[in-house]
Amino acid sequence: NPEYDDDGDLIICKLSDRRRVTVQDFRGKTLVSIREYYRKDGKELPSSKGISLTEEQWSAFKKNVPAIENAIKKMESRNI
Amino acid sequence: NPEYDDDGDLIICKLSDRRRVTVQDFRGKTLVSIREYYRKDGKELPSSKGISLTEEQWSAFKKNVPAIENAIKKMESRNI
C-alpha cells in the first residue's frame, strides 16, 4: 500500500532513518524529492536539506544513472 | 573528457544551469551529490541546497528508480 508523509507526498522509499524519496504534485507540476526529515510535535517534516527535481531534471538525472554507476566503479577501483 | 568542478569533484551532468550531479571521494567514501551551485569570485561553488548520498543510500535510491517512474506516470494520468 502506498505510504504518504504528513504533507501528503507519496513516499517512494527511505534511504536512511531520516532521508526519504518522495513524489508529489506541486501546483500541477510533478516533483521528485530526496530530502531529510525532522520530527516536530509527533510529525515528520521535510527539512531544507535536500533537493526537489522537476520532471525535466528528473528525466536528465535518470539518463545519467549508468554514468554515475561507472564513476563509482572507477573511484572504487582506484581506492583498492 | 571528464569535467571537474572547482572542488575537484567529477561532474556527471548538469540538470539545469545551476544544478549538478557529481561523484566525489570524500575521505575514502564515495558520495553522489545532487546540488545547486553558486558563482563567487569567478568560481562555481556548491551551495547547501542539495543532498549528498552515501554509496549505501545511492544503491537504495537506484533500486527505486522504476518505482519513481511508476509514481510519476500515475500522477500524470490523474492530471490529464
Side-chain angles (χ1 to χ4, degrees), chain A residues 75 78, chain B residues 3-11 22-25:
Chain A
M75 215 158 265
R78 272 193 300 175
Chain B
E3 198 189 342
Y4 295 88
D5 71 14
D6 289 321
D7 278 354
D9 301 339
L10 176 64
I11 300 171
T22 60
V23 173
Q24 68 182 119
D25 180 282

Side-chain angles (χ1 to χ4, degrees), chain A:
Chain A
N1 279 353
E3 197 189 343
Y4 294 89
D5 70 14
D6 290 321
D7 278 352
D9 301 339
L10 176 64
I11 300 171
I12 302 292
C13 66
K14 291 182 183 182
L15 301 179
S16 71
D17 185 40
R18 297 275 175 99
R19 295 183 164 192
R20 294 178 181 174
V21 180
T22 61
V23 174
Q24 69 182 118
D25 179 280
F26 183 72
R27 298 175 188 171
K29 309 244 177 192
T30 304
L31 295 181
V32 178
S33 302
I34 311 170
R35 194 167 292 281
E36 231 167 80
Y37 282 64
Y38 65 98
R39 211 178 268 274
K40 195 189 168 189
D41 303 330
K43 286 191 174 181
E44 304 241 23
L45 300 168
S47 76
S48 64
K49 198 168 179 180
I51 200 159
S52 294
L53 304 179
T54 65
E55 224 191 315
E56 204 177 16
Q57 290 167 1
W58 164 253
S59 181
F61 180 81
K62 201 182 50 181
K63 274 184 208 145
N64 280 279
V65 167
I68 295 168
E69 284 294 287
N70 281 336
I72 292 173
K73 271 179 208 154
K74 272 191 194 163
M75 215 158 265
E76 308 280 281
S77 66
R78 272 193 300 175
N79 286 343
I80 289 168

Side-chain angles (χ1 to χ4, degrees), chain B residues 4 10-11 14 18-19 25 28-30 33 50 54 56 58 63 68-69 75 77 80:
Chain B
Y4 295 88
L10 176 64
I11 300 171
K14 290 182 184 182
R18 297 274 176 100
R19 295 183 163 192
D25 180 282
K29 308 245 177 190
T30 303
S33 302
T54 64
E56 204 177 16
W58 164 253
K63 276 185 208 144
I68 295 168
E69 283 295 285
M75 215 158 265
S77 66
I80 288 166

